[in-house]
Amino acid sequence: QQYIADLDKLQTYAEELRIDKIINPKSHEAIFSNLDNLVDFQRRFLMQMEQKFTKAVMNDLKESYQAGIAELF
């Protein structure tokens, strides 16, 4: 999550550089050409990892619950 937040800051920085024309457009493109794709990929990757983690935790809880019920009988 922090990595994505840092990438967001980098996107803001890149946009400011572009707007203020601090570096020429060709250099800007060379430096930041794939930043948007990288941020998009990382966001989707994080969402998938969080979903898989949540699913794994829920499965563990379900198994623990079922084992606890089985112990009662």
Side-chain angles (χ1 to χ4, degrees), residues 7-12 14-15 31-41:
L7 288 174
D8 286 335
K9 289 177 190 174
L10 186 58
Q11 276 185 312
T12 301
E15 186 65 12
I31 295 168
F32 300 108
S33 63
N34 70 338
L35 182 59
D36 291 337
N37 292 335
L38 179 63
V39 172
D40 181 54
F41 172 81

Side-chain angles (χ1 to χ4, degrees), residues 38-71:
L38 179 63
V39 172
D40 181 54
F41 172 81
Q42 291 299 325
R43 282 193 179 123
R44 287 184 286 118
F45 181 74
L46 178 62
M47 286 174 32
Q48 289 176 359
M49 292 300 293
E50 287 174 339
Q51 289 172 352
K52 289 183 186 289
F53 178 76
T54 300
K55 187 175 181 179
V57 168
M58 294 305 290
N59 284 340
D60 287 347
L61 289 174
K62 181 180 176 184
E63 290 173 12
S64 295
Y65 174 76
Q66 289 172 340
I69 295 293
E71 288 179 15

Side-chain angles (χ1 to χ4, degrees), residues 11-22:
Q11 276 185 312
T12 301
Y13 177 70
E15 186 65 12
E16 290 172 5
L17 288 175
R18 187 187 64 76
I19 292 170
D20 295 340
K21 298 179 182 174
I22 294 173

